[in-house]
Amino acid sequence: GQQECARVGFEKAITQNPREPSSYVNLGALYLEAGNPGAAARYFAEALALDSTSAAARDGLARTRAILRSGDT
């Protein structure tokens, strides 16, 4: 479906430009929406490693960690 197409597109963007944090944020958001907070956390953390000022990555990681702590997947 649409999520799979988006995932493939974001992964391709990372392959083409692995230093672009927005692609990692987008994948993190996609995985969070799909109910996979573990994968989402990894992508948000990678985005923060590339850009420590990214509010989207920081907020996404905080939301993801809250879900992981609560056990609500």
Side-chain angles (χ1 to χ4, degrees), residues 7 10-11 14 21-31 36-50 57 61 64:
R7 183 188 62 77
F10 294 140
E11 287 178 350
I14 286 172
S22 66
S23 297
Y24 294 92
V25 170
N26 289 332
L27 263 175
L30 186 71
Y31 278 111
N36 188 342
R42 287 189 295 275
Y43 284 108
F44 287 132
E46 184 63 32
L48 273 177
L50 293 170
L61 188 57
T64 303

